[in-house]
Structures are given as C-alpha cells and as structure tokens.
Amino acid sequence: CLFAAYLFILFPVQTSSVEVERVCNQAHDGILETAAVSTPPPNGGPEMLAVFVVLKEGISADPDLLKMKFSRAIQSNLNPLFKVCQCP
C-alpha cells in the first residue's frame, strides 16, 4: 500500500540519522515510519538531513503540523539549534 508521504529537511546535521528517526517516529501518532538520509546542499556547505515521512493507512496530517511537531520534538530531545523546513 502507498501511504501519504512528506519530506522535511533538517540542518545543520550533527546528530545521527537513527536518533532523528527515533524522535520523529514518536512526534505524531499517525506516523508509520520515517527515514532520515544525509544529503549535501546544492551550493555546498554542511550536510542536510532529509526526513521522509510515511503516515499510517487512512491517516492524514497537515504538513505544517508535522513540521511543527518535528521541530518541537527534535529541539527538545536532540538539538535546540536544528531548523526544520518543508520541501515542496
């Protein structure tokens, strides 16, 4: 089955992808799974972390709500300097 999926970018990357996934998986009850993948920015600079989000079947979530929940969860549990932005 294909579920709703969203992509968010975190930067700067100073935390392991496994830790980010653990925190993001618990940020919203409707999240089935997340995958965090390191990626270089197009114009150089520090690595960014792309977080792919898959929601549980039948669940919908506003991307702005997910962004807010990820920001709060990551900043309180991992690093208060992380910035979360949503990709188009």
Side-chain angles (χ1 to χ4, degrees):
C1 291
L2 182 61
F3 308 119
Y6 301 97
L7 171 63
F8 296 87
I9 298 289
L10 308 175
F11 44 106
V13 175
Q14 298 170 340
T15 303
S16 81
S17 59
V18 173
E19 290 176 289
V20 171
E21 290 170 356
R22 177 184 53 80
V23 169
C24 288
N25 283 341
Q26 298 172 6
H28 187 282
D29 290 338
I31 293 175
L32 178 67
E33 187 173 5
T34 60
V37 180
S38 179
T39 180
N43 298 324
E47 293 274 312
M48 298 184 305
L49 196 62
V51 178
F52 296 87
V53 182
V54 179
L55 299 175
K56 295 175 183 173
E57 188 171 7
I59 299 293
S60 63
D62 177 45
D64 290 330
L65 174 67
L66 289 176
K67 176 183 169 184
M68 180 191 65
K69 288 190 174 274
F70 284 167
S71 290
R72 284 184 185 165
I74 289 168
Q75 289 172 352
S76 7
N77 294 298
L78 295 176
N79 186 335
L81 301 178
F82 265 134
K83 179 180 176 188
V84 177
C85 71
Q86 182 183 345
C87 293

